[in-house]
Amino acid sequence: MNHTLHLLVLLLLLLPCTLLVYTITATNQAYPTLTEDCSVSGEDMHVPARREVYDNGRIFDISHRYTPELPSYGVKDGLGEYLSLGMSIKNGSDANVSVMKFSVHSGTHVDTPGHVFDHYYDAGFDVDALDLEFLNGPALVVDVPRNKNITAEVMEALNIPKGVRRVLFRTLNTDRKLMWKKEFDTSAVGFMEDGAKWLVDNTNIKLVGLDYLNVAAHVDALPVHYAFLQGREMILVEGLKLDGVPAGIYSSVHCLPLRLIGSDGSPARCILIK
Ligand SMILES: *[C@@H]1O[C@H](CO)[C@@H](O)[C@H](O)[C@H]1NC(C)=O
Ligand SMILES: *[C@@H]1O[C@H](CO)[C@@H](O)[C@H](O)[C@H]1NC(C)=O
Ligand SMILES: *[C@@H]1O[C@H](CO)[C@@H](O)[C@H](O)[C@H]1NC(C)=O
């Protein structure tokens, strides 16, 4: 292992290009665009590919990038500097080793029953205990009316077919680009308690995804989480990026949280496949 690492470091040192110049330019998505001014043996070095869609529109990345500007639950200043170098080459280490520190409910993430029920937390209903079957499989992306929070009435009117088990709800939050605004927004659209109860009582949905940090409208945050999570089956995916994703049925959604023992949530990489 050490040997391989040394070889790698040596290789890196031998590269004629040791200085990567990144220039950050603002884009309409408010993500930094990385361009690289650097070449190896007269050839252009690869510019890192940063994409939202892969394989000619077949695979959509519906997770948000972690940046210091990403909004964070309940705060004004966003996620902040969540990444630091624990070890760095510049400081004499063999390798750069980044260390991250943030709430597990940051960015695109899942909630577990232990998030709002202390007895479930104590009993070990953590992120490692979530059912991968519910996190992976056919899914529906649905647009909800833009003038309301998700009430029982709205849920009923959506007429989601009985067989559907995974639904990603796109709301006014996407139109308002709330996940690109640093300041946490309490006016975001989400489920109201009666909407969550209606869904649990009248559908077979086991995965609910939404396009802001909270599946619930702020005023009903706790009752909605109670309604969804008390049965211990439902998985909530918050902070999805549904911009530019066509509504409709997908052959699969894949959401893969980390196996964090004892954790009430986890960041997840979520993708949709046509
Ligand atoms: C390693 O960390 C240094 C900061 O010490 C940074 O300038 C450099 O770009 C990093 N190298 C790589 C390969 O990430
Ligand atoms: C390198 O070490 C110095 C002195 O301990 C410290 O001030 C600095 O932040 C370190 N830089 C990195 C990139 O770790
Ligand atoms: C949804 O509820 C929030 C309160 O949590 C409220 O501020 C917002 O205006 C509501 N949105 C709509 C579209 O009714």
Side-chain angles (χ1 to χ4, degrees):
M1 186 60 207
N2 248 342
H3 194 66
T4 323
L5 196 65
H6 280 126
L7 263 177
L8 191 74
V9 169
L10 204 75
L11 262 172
L12 280 173
L13 288 175
L14 288 174
L15 282 178
C17 167
T18 50
L19 182 70
L20 307 181
V21 181
Y22 291 114
T23 54
I24 297 177
T25 47
T27 69
N28 52 355
Q29 295 274 293
Y31 281 144
T33 304
L34 300 184
T35 55
E36 199 174 274
D37 177 14
C38 182
S39 57
V40 178
S41 329
E43 277 184 59
D44 280 345
M45 249 181 82
H46 296 300
V47 174
R50 294 179 194 270
R51 294 183 270 168
E52 312 305 320
V53 183
Y54 295 77
D55 197 12
N56 296 315
R58 196 177 67 89
I59 304 174
F60 293 89
D61 194 332
I62 53 169
S63 8
H64 277 278
R65 291 188 179 89
Y66 288 84
T67 73
E69 281 75 40
L70 196 67
S72 185
Y73 197 90
V75 304
K76 265 186 140 87
D77 300 331
L79 192 58
E81 296 294 339
Y82 69 93
L83 204 58
S84 59
L85 277 164
M87 287 167 61
S88 77
I89 296 169
K90 286 207 170 60
N91 268 10
S93 294
D94 282 348
N96 288 331
V97 180
S98 294
V99 175
M100 60 185 185
K101 186 174 183 187
F102 54 38
S103 149
V104 294
H105 299 271
S106 302
T108 307
H109 70 277
V110 300
D111 282 359
T112 73
H115 183 37
V116 290
F117 289 103
D118 210 28
H119 57 287
Y120 288 161
Y121 184 90
D122 290 344
F125 290 97
D126 62 12
V127 75
D128 185 49
L130 295 177
D131 193 331
L132 277 182
E133 187 195 341
F134 298 155
L135 287 160
N136 297 274
L140 175 69
V141 174
V142 71
D143 276 294
V144 304
R146 298 309 202 234
N147 60 344
K148 290 179 183 132
N149 277 296
I150 308 175
T151 58
E153 190 193 350
V154 167
M155 270 310 300
E156 195 168 3
L158 286 176
N159 250 316
I160 295 169
K162 268 282 178 204
V164 173
R165 301 178 76 202
R166 302 168 196 83
V167 182
L168 313 182
F169 294 87
R170 179 165 44 203
T171 74
L172 183 64
N173 302 335
T174 294
D175 305 355
R176 293 178 67 203
K177 295 211 156 285
L178 293 189
M179 283 298 291
W180 278 275
K181 291 175 184 160
K182 189 158 87 165
E183 186 171 342
F184 182 73
D185 196 324
T186 56
S187 72
V189 163
F191 277 85
M192 299 297 286
E193 183 179 16
D194 67 330
K197 284 188 166 154
W198 194 94
L199 184 150
V200 169
D201 293 342
N202 297 284
T203 74
N204 296 313
I205 298 168
K206 295 297 180 204
L207 180 135
V208 166
L210 201 119
D211 53 2
Y212 200 53
L213 292 167
N214 194 348
V215 294
H218 195 68
V219 285
D220 263 4
L222 269 182
V224 164
H225 279 78
Y226 291 148
F228 278 142
L229 296 173
Q230 71 182 358
R232 290 193 322 231
E233 280 203 317
M234 176 69 76
I235 300 176
L236 303 179
V237 186
E238 299 175 316
L240 283 172
K241 179 174 68 65
L242 298 176
D243 311 60
V245 173
I249 291 281
Y250 286 77
S251 71
S252 55
V253 65
H254 296 287
C255 272
L256 297 175
L258 304 178
R259 304 189 75 171
L260 306 173
I261 293 293
S263 181
D264 44 88
S266 169
R269 187 70 178 263
C270 293
I271 62 171
L272 265 180
I273 302 185
K274 261 191 186 158

